[in-house]
Amino acid sequence: MEATGSFLDVLRDTVGSFEPFRAKLAGPVIGGFNRGRCYLPACSDAFAPIQQAVGGRTAPLIGVGLHHFRDELDASETAALAAFLERWQNVTLFEWTVTELAVTSTNDDLVLSGRTLARIPLRSAGSGSAKVSQP
């Protein structure tokens, strides 16, 4: 779908009506579905309402890819990875205020071929309607 006209207007009206929100990047986890991938979970109470507002399903994990294991680990590598995960699992690595959301197009689940179609600023407290900016 091309990111023009009514498509962006709907997103601007829906997503742009949300106010900026706080998010954090948590310590690493190994994905349960894709076992060879290590993620940094992005966490915010705002994610589910935004996903629902655009007609999406609520994702149990919003993950930022950290590493993709191509080969099986041996016993010592597995122990080292387990120790690393245990050490960092309950740590907040980074916190920020999200002020805009991007509309991204991709053909793969890793977003390796992704490109940003538009950026939608979130409504500032007391401001009028949001506008969509092209990247």
Side-chain angles (χ1 to χ4, degrees):
M1 177 182 291
E2 192 172 314
T4 58
S6 63
F7 174 71
L8 287 180
D9 290 340
V10 169
L11 286 177
R12 180 190 67 230
D13 293 343
T14 304
V15 175
S17 68
F18 283 86
E19 292 189 8
F21 58 89
R22 297 290 294 168
K24 70 177 183 174
L25 203 56
V29 297
I30 297 293
F33 180 71
N34 295 314
R35 295 180 314 156
R37 297 181 187 166
C38 186
Y39 298 96
L40 299 175
C43 309
S44 176
D45 291 337
F47 290 155
I50 291 171
Q51 290 168 337
Q52 292 167 351
V54 298
R57 61 180 169 81
T58 303
L61 170 69
I62 306 291
V64 176
L66 179 63
H67 188 75
H68 182 85
F69 298 98
R70 295 185 302 166
D71 300 318
E72 294 292 325
L73 302 179
D74 64 26
S76 65
E77 292 170 329
T78 301
L81 178 59
F84 172 79
L85 294 172
E86 185 175 334
R87 162 66 177 94
W88 293 101
Q89 69 182 349
N90 295 317
V91 174
T92 296
L93 301 173
F94 183 72
E95 288 188 65
W96 75 100
T97 299
V98 176
T99 59
E100 69 177 14
L101 295 175
V103 178
T104 305
S105 173
T106 186
N107 294 319
D108 63 278
D109 67 334
L110 293 175
V111 194
L112 297 173
S113 65
R115 65 185 180 99
T116 299
L117 300 177
R119 295 182 180 281
I120 302 173
L122 301 180
R123 178 174 55 104
S124 298
S127 73
S129 64
K131 293 183 180 176
V132 175
S133 62
Q134 298 297 329

